[in-house]
């Protein structure tokens, strides 16, 4: 009714400077494929219960391609998004271009699904 719009805390932030951290467990299979395990939803009360119930309907494991695998392993909180993009260029050359856009899409999806977080912006620390 009042038209209040929540401000995006990342609106004025250079995303290339952020250092994403992994929030999910993963495994590297014998065939080299990296599989992420969806983290359990957090929260208490009715909303927490609903989130946990809905999570059972979601895919519980996500398989990453080679680019996703290299990016995932590099995103431990010690490297910026720009540094991870440079690693992707080093590993895959022109096939990964535009690297920042491709990495940005991956990070956006993984963050939305609860696999990654930004310390200082999400409910995670930098460790």
């Amino acid at each position: 009714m009042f038209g209040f719009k929540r401000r995006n805390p990342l609106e004025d932030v250079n995303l290339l400077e952020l250092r994403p951290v992994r929030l999910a467990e993963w495994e590297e299979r014998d065939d080299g494929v990296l599989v992420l395990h969806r983290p359990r939803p957090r929260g208490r009360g009715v909303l927490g219960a609903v989130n946990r119930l809905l999570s059972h309907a979601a895919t519980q494991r996500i398989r990453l391609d080679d680019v996703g695998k290299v990016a995932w392993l590099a995103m431990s909180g010690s490297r910026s998004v720009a540094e991870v993009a440079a690693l992707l260029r080093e590993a895959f050359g022109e096939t990964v271009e535009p690297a920042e856009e491709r990495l940005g899409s991956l990070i956006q999806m993984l963050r939305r699904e609860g696999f990654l977080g930004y310390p200082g912006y999400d409910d995670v620390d930098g460790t």
Side-chain angles (χ1 to χ4, degrees):
M1 175 171 174
F2 293 103
F4 290 116
K5 191 175 180 182
R6 282 185 12 182
R7 188 174 180 277
N8 179 356
L10 296 173
E11 187 175 333
D12 298 323
V13 174
N14 181 348
L15 299 178
L16 293 174
E17 295 175 357
L18 295 179
R19 297 176 183 277
V21 294
R22 300 179 294 241
L23 302 176
E25 297 294 322
W26 74 94
E27 65 180 295
E28 188 169 356
R29 298 187 330 202
D30 291 339
D31 60 0
V33 172
L34 194 111
V35 179
L36 307 181
H37 300 266
R38 184 176 299 281
R40 291 195 125 145
R42 294 181 279 177
R44 297 180 180 200
V46 174
L47 184 57
V50 168
N51 285 339
R52 285 188 297 280
L53 182 64
L54 291 175
S55 75
H56 291 294
T59 302
Q60 296 302 307
R61 295 174 187 231
I62 305 292
R63 191 173 82 180
L64 297 178
D65 65 5
D66 290 338
V67 173
K69 176 181 173 179
V70 170
W72 176 261
L73 294 173
M75 293 187 287
S76 62
S78 62
R79 290 185 181 95
S80 69
V81 172
E83 291 169 327
V84 175
L87 283 173
L88 294 178
R89 274 193 192 90
E90 188 176 305
F92 299 101
E94 290 184 17
T95 62
V96 76
E97 295 298 345
E100 287 82 6
E101 285 183 34
R102 185 166 180 178
L103 180 59
S105 295
L106 175 66
I107 290 173
Q108 183 178 29
M109 183 275 297
L110 292 174
R111 187 170 172 245
R112 181 182 61 242
E113 296 296 325
F115 292 100
L116 281 178
Y118 290 132
Y121 297 95
D122 298 319
D123 188 20
V124 298
D125 62 21
T127 57

